Amino acid sequence: MINKTATTNHSKTMYAGLIMSLLLFSFIFSFSQALASSVKELKSQQIDEILFNIHTYYVDDLALQNSQHIEYSTQQFERLYSKLDPYSKYLDEHELTALFNNTNGHYTGLGIEVKSIKDKITIVDVVSNSPAKKAGILASDIIISVNNEIVENLTLDEVATRIRNSNFSDINLTVQRQTSKAYISFNVARTLINLKSATSKVLDSGTGYLAIHTFSNNTLQEVALQITAMQDYYDDSLKGLVIDLRDNPGGTLQSAIAVSDMFLQSGTIVTTKGRFFDANKTFYAKRGDVLKGAPIVVLINENSASAAEILAAALKDNNRATVVGNQSFGKGSVQSLIPLGNGDTALKLTTAKYFTPSGKSIDGVGITPDVAINQTNLSQNNKAVIIKNEQTKSIQQLPVSNLADLQLVKAKQLLSMQ
């Protein structure tokens, strides 16, 4: 997947080996990786290589001087680096490994998602098949200490680093349980956790509900299996389908295109445009609709981003689905992963903008639903996390009560009318 031998001296041949289609996600797996490494620690050779790649491949022309002939000081480089969009950053060895794990649908960790709430590091979600879940850790627990070190004055990134770099096979977490205010200690082992990117359930009248939580390398297969399972339940083709993309922060471009193609007989899926010739591509649907024309309703909200927006726009603009919900996030850029040095580190760089089948850029704007229904109480994500694109456990959306989930109620109503 990655050209480990590529250097600035092989720049043009290297581009073909880039993960050009890493439309980067915004997965929200907490406690897995800290933020982008400090560029202040980079060596001059690394700086030269990064400068060359920015000059050659970055989506916007920053009018850079050629780094092969002009020597940049560290201060000049840092100023230039700060001009890049928030999705572009240098990835150290740990962050690069985490990114690959992410795209393959797994990561090594405890299985907890945390946020800073009122200056307290609070667990907001626990993965169902994780060591944290098995140990008895609950959402809303407040972390007090990690390996007997009080975390009161530490940031989320600092706590994540202590867990990741711990020399102990088990991590000791002391939490305060809000229901009793008591302190409880757990010994939890960091293990490999496999994540489901899609889940489903059958609705009434021969229709199905498909929730796509992220777009990883496994999503196409998982979506196909979920649809087959629902069709087997009815012993017939589905009469309609709700595709829930709410709180889906995105994923790989290939995955979004492949899933879109499942439901389209023809038409444009997405177009990418950039400065480098290979960044300009148009992707078309091939014949074959897994639902055989049965109606589709897509649910989106303010945290539907990136690859999720590609799928929603492809189905909407090709008149294949009705989109219900809130205005989506508006991440309309594509990031490529450019290996640096011997391939242990990389530059995640925005190399293209993508455009919907109707020719629109949704960057900073988002997708406008056909039927707007404001419902903000389902989301735990936030835009800062999406922009930072941290490795994360995608939130597994649990089916919400039909009475409380107004958007799902509307989707079912629309399907029943077709």
Side-chain angles (χ1 to χ4, degrees):
M1 290 179 65
I2 185 168
N3 183 353
K4 288 180 178 283
T5 61
T7 65
T8 54
N9 295 326
H10 303 84
S11 59
K12 290 189 177 181
T13 57
M14 176 184 71
Y15 197 85
L18 301 183
I19 305 179
M20 158 80 198
S21 33
L22 255 193
L23 177 101
L24 254 184
F25 13 1
S26 24
F27 283 139
I28 299 179
F29 296 24
S30 356
F31 270 172
S32 19
Q33 294 301 324
L35 294 180
S37 305
S38 171
V39 296
K40 296 180 179 180
E41 299 174 2
L42 295 177
K43 298 178 181 178
S44 58
Q45 182 178 358
Q46 293 172 302
I47 290 177
D48 288 342
E49 195 172 358
I50 291 173
L51 283 170
F52 182 90
N53 286 310
I54 294 173
H55 173 73
T56 307
Y57 303 121
Y58 188 60
V59 64
D60 295 323
D61 188 356
L62 298 181
L64 307 181
Q65 294 171 303
N66 193 319
S67 61
Q68 288 184 328
H69 301 95
I70 304 297
E71 188 171 331
Y72 278 71
S73 68
T74 301
Q75 292 75 19
Q76 288 173 319
F77 172 68
E78 290 175 13
R79 285 197 295 271
L80 171 64
Y81 188 86
S82 67
K83 293 181 181 179
L84 300 178
D85 71 353
Y87 305 108
S88 300
K89 66 179 180 181
Y90 167 79
L91 301 177
D92 66 19
E93 185 176 354
H94 294 294
E95 292 165 328
L96 185 57
T97 299
L99 180 56
F100 283 134
N101 286 339
N102 233 347
T103 59
N104 289 320
H106 60 256
Y107 78 108
T108 299
L110 304 181
I112 57 176
E113 180 186 344
V114 301
K115 293 175 72 173
S116 180
I117 300 176
K118 296 182 179 178
D119 296 326
K120 295 184 183 296
I121 298 178
T122 304
I123 298 171
V124 296
D125 195 29
V126 183
V127 184
S128 59
N129 61 336
S130 68
K133 183 75 171 183
K134 295 175 183 177
I137 294 175
L138 303 177
S140 77
D141 284 350
I142 298 172
I143 297 179
I144 302 300
S145 68
V146 175
N147 291 335
N148 299 316
E149 180 182 359
I150 302 298
V151 302
E152 182 178 7
N153 297 318
L154 300 180
T155 65
L156 288 177
D157 297 332
E158 290 170 334
V159 175
T161 299
R162 281 159 175 74
I163 291 178
R164 185 184 69 236
N165 297 337
S166 174
N167 294 322
F168 300 102
S169 57
D170 287 353
I171 305 295
N172 179 270
L173 286 184
T174 298
V175 304
Q176 182 181 32
R177 187 142 294 170
Q178 290 190 336
T179 53
S180 64
K181 302 299 181 182
Y183 284 9
I184 308 173
S185 288
F186 299 92
N187 288 321
V188 187
R190 296 175 67 250
T191 60
L192 184 68
I193 300 172
N194 294 313
L195 301 166
K196 288 185 178 180
S197 62
T199 55
S200 66
K201 66 176 182 177
V202 293
L203 301 176
D204 34 7
S205 304
T207 59
Y209 168 90
L210 173 71
I212 304 178
H213 312 299
T214 62
F215 286 87
S216 71
N217 292 337
N218 306 320
T219 302
L220 176 63
Q221 180 183 12
E222 291 186 31
V223 168
L225 290 173
Q226 297 293 340
I227 291 176
T228 298
M230 288 187 286
Q231 290 176 335
D232 288 346
Y233 178 86
Y234 289 117
D235 197 25
D236 197 1
S237 299
L238 291 175
K239 296 179 180 178
L241 180 66
V242 177
I243 302 178
D244 194 344
L245 300 177
R246 292 174 296 182
D247 294 329
N248 182 322
T252 64
L253 179 59
Q254 298 102 318
S255 179
I257 292 170
V259 174
S260 300
D261 197 10
M262 290 182 68
F263 305 105
L264 293 171
Q265 284 278 17
S266 61
T268 300
I269 295 175
V270 67
T271 299
T272 62
K273 297 180 182 180
R275 286 195 302 123
F276 189 70
F277 74 93
D278 210 21
N280 298 280
K281 295 182 178 180
T282 300
F283 300 89
Y284 300 98
K286 303 178 184 66
R287 288 188 61 81
D289 175 0
V290 69
L291 296 182
K292 300 178 180 178
I296 300 173
V297 176
V298 175
L299 301 180
I300 60 173
N301 68 1
E302 62 275 12
N303 293 315
S304 304
S306 179
E309 293 174 295
I310 285 182
L311 174 57
L315 298 185
K316 177 184 179 182
D317 286 2
N318 284 290
N319 298 313
R320 185 64 185 88
T322 302
V323 178
V324 173
N326 303 4
Q327 192 85 4
S328 64
F329 179 80
K331 182 184 182 297
S333 60
V334 180
Q335 283 70 51
S336 298
L337 199 60
I338 304 175
L340 301 174
N342 61 6
D344 291 336
T345 61
L347 179 65
K348 181 169 69 71
L349 191 68
T350 296
T351 53
K353 296 290 180 69
Y354 77 76
F355 296 81
T356 67
S358 61
K360 297 179 180 178
S361 169
I362 57 94
D363 201 40
V365 178
I367 296 170
T368 302
D370 298 307
V371 180
I373 298 179
N374 186 38
Q375 181 171 290
T376 59
N377 60 330
L378 292 179
S379 172
Q380 291 181 340
N381 299 0
N382 61 70
K383 292 192 175 185
V385 177
I386 288 177
I387 289 174
K388 290 174 183 175
N389 179 38
E390 295 176 337
Q391 187 203 17
T392 156
K393 167 194 76 59
S394 82
I395 295 176
Q396 299 285 321
Q397 296 175 351
L398 299 177
V400 181
S401 165
N402 289 353
L403 292 177
D405 193 343
L406 301 180
Q407 294 172 343
L408 181 56
V409 169
K410 184 62 177 179
K412 293 173 65 176
Q413 179 188 24
L414 290 171
L415 289 178
S416 68
M417 297 167 57
Q418 298 185 49

